[in-house]
Amino acid sequence: MSSAPELLELARLHGVQTTYRDAWGHDRVASPEALGGVLAALGAPLARISDAADALAARHSELDTRLAPPVVVVWEGKEVYVPLRLPAGIRTFACQLDLESGDRWLTSIDASTLQPGAVPGETLLPVVESVPIGYHSLTVEVGNRRIQISILAAPRRAYELKERGLWGGFLPLYALRTKESWGAGDFSDLLRLAQWLGEQAGGLVATLPLLATFLGQEPFEPSPYAPASRLFWNEAYVDPRRLPEYALCLPARALVESAEFRAEVAALGALPGVDWARTAKLKRRVLAELAQSTVALSDGRRAEFERFLRTKPFVHEYSRFRAVGERRGTSWQGWPEQERGGSLAEAEFLPEDLRYHQYAQWAAEQQLGEMAAAARSRGPGLYLDLPLGVHSSSFDVWKFPDLFACQASAGAPPDALFQGGQDWGFPPIHPERLRESGYAYLIASLRHHLAHAGLLRIDHVMQLHRLYWVPRGLPATEGVYVTYPAEELYAVLSIESHRHRAALVGENLGTVPPEVYEAMDRHAILGLFVAQYELDPDSANLIREPPANTAASLNTHDMPPFHAYWQGSEIDDLLALGAIDEEVAGRDRARRGRLRARLANAAAITHGGSVSADQAFSQVSLALHEHLAASPAPIVLINLEDLWGEELPQNVPGTHRERPNWQRKARYSLEEMEALPEVEQTLARVEELRAEVRKEAARR
């Protein structure tokens, strides 16, 4: 069924794409129902498709009354003009530029001196070229109207690492375990991992998102990619024993030393996976005792705590939000109207719960900061991951309801692996509302991470250009793309990366339009090179060389470990899940067989004779790590689990509770890992080749 012209034009004016090119190269046309659902989620007055004409007239009226765009980017060293739509008869008007520093520039503009714009009725107001890098506000007073424009003054290229030949190790923090762990890895364990990698000359330690999650209440959701907030940390990663208060808090120490507590630690440690609810409950018991003892903090520590509460945006509201949720035992959508609307009375939560969350966030911020500072001794240090979205019941959606389009879900269109498309279940950010806010939420999310990360991965980097929206009530096959203000988003990323001296990596896997690659190169955002995606048994070259603008790795957390990939076991799992059919599985098994044969043959040639299957795997694994390490890629990331041939994945995309995602512990503890010959030998070889890359870069 074709869409009415009014509906198509309404979609265009809201930045909704009416067609897209799918993974098979075919053009998909959005249905009227899909367009209507997404437009309604964007706020168009469209209760029915037949309302399109009236909604279009309202949109035209809205756009015609805008005197200027809400945001203008000023790229460093380039003159920029702000397009204005001045009412007829305006001869002069006042402008005020408020700089981020607090300085203010005032001027009166003679409208007759302005150049005409490209659109009839538009004039161009020049922005001062010497405006410093940062976030500024331009106020224009025209008659009785006063409009504010956010000025993003940015370097065109994000911060770029000076070092070449860097490498590091990856492991989810929950999967990391030491003899000191309490059922899951913590910030102390992450510090030990960073120190050990540093001893091998690794300058990076990478892990999955460390953000707050729902672990002790409804909705229970341990996925690091569906956080309870992008502005706060997961306190389950705090190590209470390293906090200064612990030595002075007799109740906390007595609890930890009790037979009952030690037995629970032992039981949790013996499990193959993290029992998130029990682990979080155990950790909370100790942190709650320490939070209670904050009344007895020394003057210096109390001052630090109070400074944290004063300077950390939203920490008080976040703590109230979590405390109310724990008292009610439900997500905020089930709260009374007043509380859903953002008003939380003190009678609705327990003071000790509020104090716990405030203290836990302070402790997490301190320990992560200490760990990151120590990790920077050999390179960028901590490599963090900023997820695309947040849980629909998150603090962020509750706190900033206008910023999220809750009548839709973010997702991905159908492809060879997910022929039914993907609905990720969390609400997408509303692009216009984000612009109108001056990108305050994005800036806060970036600063939260970049305060500690020397390298930050931007999940699903295509989000900077467009995002696939699935309207509520429709299947994932019926989603449509919504465009985002890419250059403005790149400007924010560039400003924050320079301020924190941190490089950025964009997750650009899957079907990526050419303009995304071009923009990433233009703005110095590194891409990903993932060897398991690149291997092609039917090509003259099995694998290409990782480019010099990528972070290279063998796989990602969403892929099977290399040993499972070698065996093709994930093909059987996808078939069992119904993600693929027998025909696809047969083709994939045959292709994987051809790949194994070519890789084994290459290993045999390299080593001067035939090798067994086990020997072939080990030699191929080492050869692929060598291929990555010898490449010009500035960063090489080693999945530590690949070094001993792990077969089980950390996550199976497209599943929720069907598979034990986000909980499997590493087969070996860090102490055991350090003693494994295959780990030591591979890392030594990686460093040897990376050192050669560094030397070559120094010679140029």
Side-chain angles (χ1 to χ4, degrees):
M1 175 183 176
S2 62
S3 299
E6 295 87 356
L7 185 64
L8 296 177
E9 176 65 6
L10 183 64
R12 185 186 69 81
L13 293 179
H14 278 279
V16 179
Q17 297 182 12
T18 57
T19 64
Y20 71 89
R21 182 68 56 87
D22 69 15
W24 297 274
H26 304 135
D27 289 332
R28 292 214 180 196
V29 179
S31 69
E33 292 75 19
L35 291 176
V38 167
L39 287 166
L42 283 165
L46 200 67
R48 296 172 300 277
I49 301 299
S50 57
D51 296 334
D54 290 341
L56 178 60
R59 182 62 170 174
H60 275 300
S61 176
E62 176 193 357
L63 295 176
D64 289 344
T65 57
R66 288 185 184 178
L67 296 184
V71 177
V72 170
V73 175
V74 179
W75 293 115
E76 189 175 24
K78 182 179 179 182
E79 187 177 21
V80 171
Y81 295 87
V82 176
L84 297 178
R85 297 173 62 89
L86 298 176
I90 295 295
R91 296 183 177 179
T92 62
F93 59 94
C95 285
Q96 173 180 306
L97 181 61
D98 290 288
L99 300 180
E100 192 176 15
S101 63
D103 293 337
R104 174 174 291 177
W105 298 348
L106 298 170
T107 189
S108 180
I109 304 294
D110 182 345
S112 66
T113 65
L114 300 181
Q115 301 177 31
V119 178
E122 183 181 82
T123 57
L124 301 178
L125 173 68
V127 175
V128 180
E129 291 181 58
S130 58
V131 62
I133 291 172
Y135 308 102
H136 316 296
S137 178
L138 176 65
T139 304
V140 179
E141 293 188 14
V142 179
N144 62 354
R145 294 187 63 181
R146 180 185 177 95
I147 58 173
Q148 280 195 318
I149 304 161
S150 295
I151 303 295
L152 309 179
R156 185 168 291 279
R157 294 176 68 80
Y159 181 81
E160 297 179 72
L161 294 172
K162 305 302 183 288
E163 309 97 322
R164 308 315 267 178
L166 289 167
W167 69 273
F170 165 80
L171 194 65
L173 181 49
Y174 62 79
L176 177 62
R177 57 191 179 90
T178 70
K179 59 183 179 182
E180 302 295 330
S181 302
W182 287 356
D186 58 31
F187 292 136
S188 292
D189 297 329
L190 191 60
L191 174 60
R192 294 185 191 103
L193 176 61
Q195 290 171 334
W196 172 64
L197 288 169
E199 291 168 2
Q200 323 304 313
L204 289 167
V205 59
T207 192
L208 296 180
L210 301 175
L211 293 167
T213 50
F214 292 112
L215 298 178
Q217 66 183 75
E218 291 296 328
F220 176 83
E221 180 50 78
S223 169
Y225 292 93
S229 175
R230 295 204 302 179
L231 305 173
F232 295 96
W233 302 118
N234 187 343
E235 71 271 19
Y237 289 132
V238 171
D239 180 359
R241 295 160 294 184
R242 284 187 51 241
L243 295 168
E245 291 73 52
Y246 180 75
L248 305 175
C249 183
L250 295 180
R253 290 176 58 191
L255 172 62
V256 171
E257 293 165 6
S258 69
E260 174 262 338
F261 191 93
R262 291 200 305 270
E264 179 69 349
V265 168
L268 290 171
L271 296 174
V274 176
D275 186 324
W276 278 110
R278 285 171 63 187
T279 299
K281 182 178 179 181
L282 184 80
K283 191 71 66 75
R284 178 164 182 159
R285 292 173 63 190
V286 185
L287 287 173
E289 292 288 355
L290 295 176
Q292 288 291 101
S293 74
T294 55
V295 295
L297 288 173
S298 65
D299 290 345
R301 288 286 287 169
R302 174 164 288 283
E304 287 182 38
F305 182 44
E306 291 174 350
R307 188 180 309 112
F308 171 78
L309 295 180
R310 287 195 309 271
T311 59
K312 180 67 175 178
F314 312 117
V315 67
H316 188 68
E317 288 175 281
Y318 172 77
S319 300
R320 282 184 172 227
F321 171 83
R322 296 303 297 262
V324 170
E326 289 164 357
R327 181 175 179 271
R328 290 193 170 275
T330 61
S331 61
W332 64 263
Q333 289 92 339
W335 297 354
E337 182 178 357
Q338 179 175 308
E339 294 165 1
R340 289 199 310 271
S343 178
L344 301 180
E346 291 190 7
E348 297 302 325
F349 59 86
L350 300 175
E352 55 267 33
D353 290 339
L354 175 70
R355 190 182 304 114
Y356 163 77
H357 284 288
Q358 291 173 331
Y359 177 82
Q361 285 304 313
W362 179 47
E365 186 73 24
Q366 285 188 317
Q367 288 198 343
L368 187 56
E370 292 166 2
M371 177 269 145
R376 282 184 184 266
S377 62
R378 294 301 301 254
L382 190 57
Y383 181 177
L384 285 181
D385 192 344
L386 178 66
L388 169 63
V390 290
H391 197 285
S392 60
S393 297
S394 67
F395 166 78
D396 299 10
V397 178
W398 172 83
K399 174 62 182 173
F400 312 108
D402 292 340
L403 199 57
F404 293 88
C406 292
Q407 291 178 277
S409 297
D415 58 24
L417 187 57
F418 297 100
Q419 298 181 13
Q422 296 179 71
D423 183 335
W424 295 329
F426 55 79
I429 290 179
H430 193 302
E432 284 194 30
R433 302 292 177 265
L434 187 63
R435 294 186 79 205
E436 291 164 359
S437 72
Y439 294 97
Y441 172 71
L442 173 62
I443 293 166
S445 300
L446 287 168
R447 288 177 176 175
H448 182 62
H449 289 78
L450 292 175
H452 307 301
L455 200 64
L456 183 65
R457 175 185 180 271
I458 308 300
D459 186 33
H460 195 70
V461 75
M462 285 79 79
Q463 65 170 296
L464 304 178
H465 297 255
R466 66 179 190 177
L467 187 62
Y468 190 76
W469 287 28
V470 181
R472 183 185 296 172
L474 292 183
T477 53
E478 290 294 301
V480 297
Y481 277 105
V482 174
T483 58
Y484 283 73
E487 289 299 283
E488 295 172 12
L489 291 166
Y490 281 113
V492 172
L493 289 171
S494 184
I495 292 169
E496 293 304 319
S497 71
H498 276 275
R499 288 187 166 178
H500 294 89
R501 298 178 63 83
L504 303 175
V505 178
E507 186 267 293
N508 57 341
L509 304 177
T511 305
V512 182
E515 61 268 22
V516 176
Y517 289 112
E518 294 165 4
M520 291 174 68
D521 284 341
R522 187 167 63 248
H523 296 296
I525 309 293
L526 297 175
L528 294 183
F529 179 94
V530 179
Q532 285 176 204
Y533 275 137
E534 298 286 342
L535 289 165
D536 185 354
D538 304 318
S539 172
N541 293 318
L542 264 175
I543 187 170
R544 64 188 176 108
E545 181 178 73
N549 60 349
T550 59
S553 63
L554 195 51
N555 45 47
T556 75
H557 63 272
D558 279 333
M559 299 174 69
F562 184 61
H563 199 194
Y565 178 82
W566 172 264
Q567 296 174 320
S569 57
E570 94 283 2
I571 299 171
D572 297 331
D573 194 40
L574 291 172
L575 181 62
L577 288 165
I580 58 177
D581 56 27
E582 284 284 1
E583 182 181 355
V584 173
R587 286 201 305 266
D588 288 350
R589 290 192 191 103
R591 187 177 190 276
R592 197 67 53 84
R594 296 195 302 275
L595 179 61
R596 276 195 303 271
R598 285 197 64 182
L599 288 170
N601 183 59
I605 294 172
T606 301
H607 293 84
S610 62
V611 294
S612 68
D614 289 340
Q615 289 172 325
F617 167 74
S618 299
Q619 291 170 2
V620 167
S621 177
L622 176 60
L624 287 173
H625 282 102
E626 289 174 332
H627 178 74
L628 299 178
S631 76
I635 295 163
V636 169
L637 207 58
I638 308 299
N639 182 345
L640 297 175
E641 293 193 298
D642 280 329
L643 302 186
W644 57 77
E646 181 57 60
E647 297 179 8
L648 298 175
Q650 287 292 345
N651 175 54
V652 178
T655 65
H656 185 50
R657 300 289 184 248
E658 300 94 330
R659 293 293 182 271
N661 298 329
W662 318 120
Q663 60 182 269
R664 184 180 58 74
K665 297 177 186 176
R667 188 189 311 178
Y668 298 105
S669 68
L670 180 56
E671 294 87 356
E672 294 169 331
M673 199 186 308
E674 293 171 349
L676 290 173
E678 57 267 41
V679 171
E680 179 183 5
Q681 292 164 8
T682 302
L683 294 186
R685 182 59 177 150
V686 166
E687 166 53 22
E688 180 183 351
L689 294 170
R690 292 270 85 189
E692 288 298 320
V693 173
R694 293 194 291 270
K695 290 177 184 177
E696 179 62 27
R699 284 193 289 266
R700 293 177 180 173

